[in-house]
Amino acid sequence: MKYVIGVDLGTSAVKTVLVDPQGKVAFEHSESYPLSRPQPNWSEQNPEDWVQGTLVSLRRLIEVSGVDPSQVDGISFSGQMHGLVLVDREGKVLRPAILWNDTRTTAQCRKIEKVLGSKLIGIARNRALEGFTLPKILWVQENEPEVLAQAALFLLPKDYVRYRLTGDYAMDYSDAAGTLLLDVGAKTWSAEIAEAFGLPFSLCPKLVESFDLTGTLLPEIAEASGLLPSTKVFAGGADNACGALGAGILGEGRTMCSIGTSGVVLSYESNKDLNLEGKVHFFNHGEKDAYYIMGVTLAAGYSLTWFKETFAGDKSFDELLQGVDSIPAGSGGLLFTPYIVGERTPHPDPNIRGSFIGMDAGHTLAHFTRSVLEGITFSLRESIDIVRDSGKEITEVVAIGGGAKNEAWLQMQADIFNASIIKLESEQGPAMGAAMLAAYGSGWFASLSECAEAFIRPAEVYKPNAQQAEVYNGLFHLYQQVYGQTRELNDKLAAYRK
């Protein structure tokens, strides 16, 4: 038996999975690490924590599984996007990594928009948002110029870990697309964007495909991880690109909905010239010369977590959701907007806040719970509709993440999206996508699509109920009115939040 390992470098933990040629996860292991918030709106991590967590997780994976290291053909990565790691000529990290959920860079985003104007969307295909990497580089340029002066390269989180494992510097296209420095269509770093901000072009690492071989393990790393120095290491991809691979989103019309802390609607795209004017994200895929359209709800699963902790702290999630299927669609006229930490798609607005509308004395905890699920799903439908408006027909959506664990919510997604919802037999998300890149790179399959056919199996399909879909269609149009009608009031209320 032979295996590959997928490494998913997340914000709170690193997860490793050992996968066989049938796509079965033989073993998995996670190691957590701390997150630092030294100032309001800041979010940082020590890159060394990622490296040590990865090594511990790999070693425990091998020890617990009992697999002989010679049976492991290769390793690949999925990584949290956008995080800035600056290294000097010796590969030394110059400051803590600034993460995707760090929002200190609003001024830098406005500067990017002012300097580049419409060129930004034309080249990078995405708006300037606080989460992206270029605003972080400009923040360091303005606030820590001595640090940037020492920097030889900028890397993203998984690329730094892979460098430490192999000694090789590189960045794949799917992760590079989230920096705002990549010409997404041409698949090259943009000299025009770098020069516009006085950034040396040498800061940008070499670009590779997600399935490219980027080296083997350094001897000391092999010893620490329990693997062989000859173990092949492949580039890997951005977490959303790998999540798409792990859900089989590898062809026109294939779409997934991932509900975790945030929510993602992602659809495969082959047309590199498609320009949606920044309404949704447009990134390079893990598959060669392919792309994906992506919309994001900032507080998807987080809205449900917040609601449970605030109003039903004594209940488990299963207990909270128990009575939801007995409440009719529309939650008895109760409507929730999940803007509790701002919103991303279609409203890139960090300051908007959420609401419950239509409360009366007859509403129970189950009504409120169902309205939270409906509001999250309405927000995700806004991304679905943008993709549909681009000319795509969406009749099936693969559900992954927390939103795929509850039958009532899966049926709700089918009714609100008016599409069949596919639940997978074994859903490992980005870690499985990383394993697929290692399997394809190792020569197990002739294509990533062939790998997906072997690794990914549907378990259940939830079809839309025509009557429910009609009810939700009317409610959705009401939901869409809430943002515009509350925006001015929200600005006035902001003064009372201090």
Side-chain angles (χ1 to χ4, degrees):
M1 179 67 77
K2 55 185 178 179
Y3 300 91
V4 289
I5 294 175
V7 179
D8 179 24
L9 190 76
T11 311
S12 59
V14 59
K15 176 182 177 180
T16 57
V17 293
L18 188 70
V19 182
D20 71 16
Q22 287 73 49
K24 181 182 176 184
V25 176
F27 291 92
E28 60 182 271
H29 184 81
S30 294
E31 282 290 322
S32 61
Y33 33 67
L35 177 72
S36 172
R37 294 191 179 273
Q39 294 190 40
N41 302 322
W42 289 29
S43 182
E44 299 183 340
Q45 279 178 328
N46 179 358
E48 187 62 27
D49 291 340
W50 304 333
V51 176
Q52 295 308 315
T54 300
L55 292 177
V56 170
S57 189
L58 287 171
R59 174 169 281 282
R60 292 189 177 164
L61 191 74
I62 297 301
E63 288 175 347
V64 173
S65 69
V67 165
D68 190 287
S70 65
Q71 294 177 276
V72 179
D73 275 5
I75 301 174
S76 193
F77 298 84
S78 158
Q80 49 168 299
M81 297 177 71
H82 312 309
L84 175 64
V85 183
L86 292 169
V87 297
D88 65 14
R89 295 188 183 279
E90 281 71 50
K92 179 186 174 184
V93 173
L94 294 170
R95 70 170 327 283
I98 306 177
L99 302 191
W100 63 275
N101 56 353
D102 185 293
T103 58
R104 75 182 78 175
T105 56
T106 300
Q108 288 72 33
C109 289
R110 302 295 80 80
K111 178 179 179 179
I112 291 168
E113 292 168 346
K114 183 177 180 180
V115 171
L116 294 177
S118 61
K119 290 181 180 179
L120 178 65
I121 297 293
I123 299 170
R125 302 293 181 86
N126 293 281
R127 297 185 186 187
L129 299 175
E130 286 82 357
F132 287 107
T133 318
L134 176 59
K136 296 172 172 52
I137 296 174
L138 298 186
W139 185 91
V140 175
Q141 183 185 57
E142 294 171 21
N143 294 275
E144 300 173 353
E146 71 286 354
V147 172
L148 194 63
Q150 298 176 63
L153 283 174
F154 85 90
L155 299 170
L156 297 179
K158 74 160 191 344
D159 301 313
Y160 176 72
V161 173
R162 196 186 59 252
Y163 154 69
R164 287 290 302 278
L165 267 58
T166 65
D168 178 80
Y169 289 119
M171 189 181 296
D172 77 289
Y173 295 106
S174 72
D175 233 353
T179 66
L180 288 187
L181 279 163
L182 187 75
D183 185 326
V184 169
K187 295 176 69 175
T188 60
W189 292 117
S190 172
E192 185 173 0
I193 293 178
E195 289 168 4
F197 301 102
L199 298 174
F201 206 56
S202 58
L203 271 179
C204 303
K206 70 179 179 183
L207 292 164
V208 295
E209 299 288 353
S210 293
F211 48 79
D212 278 348
L213 179 65
T214 55
T216 54
L217 295 179
L218 296 169
E220 63 274 20
I221 293 295
E223 183 177 355
S225 65
L227 293 164
L228 299 180
S230 58
T231 306
K232 297 185 289 290
V233 181
F234 300 92
D239 53 8
N240 286 308
C242 288
L245 292 175
I249 309 303
L250 284 163
E252 284 293 344
R254 301 304 304 271
T255 300
M256 79 170 190
C257 177
S258 172
I259 300 178
T261 301
S262 61
V264 167
V265 167
L266 185 154
S267 190
Y268 184 95
E269 179 57 58
S270 57
N271 179 13
K272 71 175 183 178
D273 297 318
L274 183 67
N275 190 338
L276 295 173
E277 301 174 346
K279 293 177 184 176
V280 286
H281 298 316
F282 187 83
F283 293 139
N284 301 76
H285 205 328
E287 185 180 41
K288 188 174 183 179
D289 297 330
Y291 303 84
Y292 62 88
I293 304 166
M294 187 177 82
V296 178
T297 294
L298 284 181
Y302 182 63
S303 288
L304 186 62
T305 300
W306 162 80
F307 179 76
K308 186 190 90 67
E309 291 178 350
T310 306
F311 299 106
D314 59 329
K315 295 181 180 294
S316 68
F317 280 106
D318 287 342
E319 290 171 335
L320 181 67
L321 297 176
Q322 216 162 40
V324 160
D325 54 356
S326 66
I327 304 297
S331 302
L334 184 61
L335 188 62
F336 172 72
T337 58
Y339 307 146
I340 60 173
V341 294
E343 190 53 305
R344 178 72 63 85
T345 306
H347 311 294
D349 186 345
N351 299 314
I352 192 68
R353 288 297 177 263
S355 59
F356 281 106
I357 298 173
M359 290 179 281
D360 67 39
H363 287 132
T364 65
L365 179 64
H367 286 90
F368 278 91
T369 304
R370 186 175 181 103
S371 74
V372 170
L373 299 183
E374 290 176 339
I376 294 165
T377 314
F378 284 144
S379 177
L380 292 163
R381 169 158 165 190
E382 293 198 287
S383 293
I384 292 273
D385 281 5
I386 292 171
V387 175
R388 282 175 169 151
D389 289 345
S390 75
K392 291 190 179 300
E393 184 180 7
I394 298 179
T395 58
E396 292 184 344
V397 177
V398 178
I400 66 172
K405 299 186 189 307
N406 179 270
E407 288 192 8
W409 201 355
L410 285 163
Q411 185 60 50
M412 187 185 296
Q413 290 173 60
D415 296 337
I416 290 177
F417 298 159
N418 197 19
S420 294
I421 302 296
I422 300 171
K423 180 181 179 180
L424 300 177
E425 188 177 292
S426 175
E427 191 261 292
Q428 292 288 336
M432 180 59 77
M436 288 171 63
L437 289 170
Y440 173 50
S442 296
W444 289 11
F445 302 97
S447 67
L448 281 167
S449 294
E450 187 181 305
C451 180
E453 288 177 15
F455 276 29
I456 302 164
R457 290 171 287 277
E460 294 179 68
V461 178
Y462 295 79
K463 294 186 177 295
N465 176 303
Q467 187 177 350
Q468 296 279 90
E470 186 177 350
V471 170
Y472 276 132
N473 206 43
L475 285 166
F476 175 64
H477 293 306
L478 293 177
Y479 171 90
Q480 288 184 298
Q481 296 175 39
V482 175
Y483 176 83
Q485 293 187 15
T486 61
R487 188 68 190 83
E488 184 179 348
L489 179 62
N490 179 79
D491 286 343
K492 293 177 179 177
L493 285 171
Y496 296 90
R497 294 192 192 118
K498 296 177 181 177

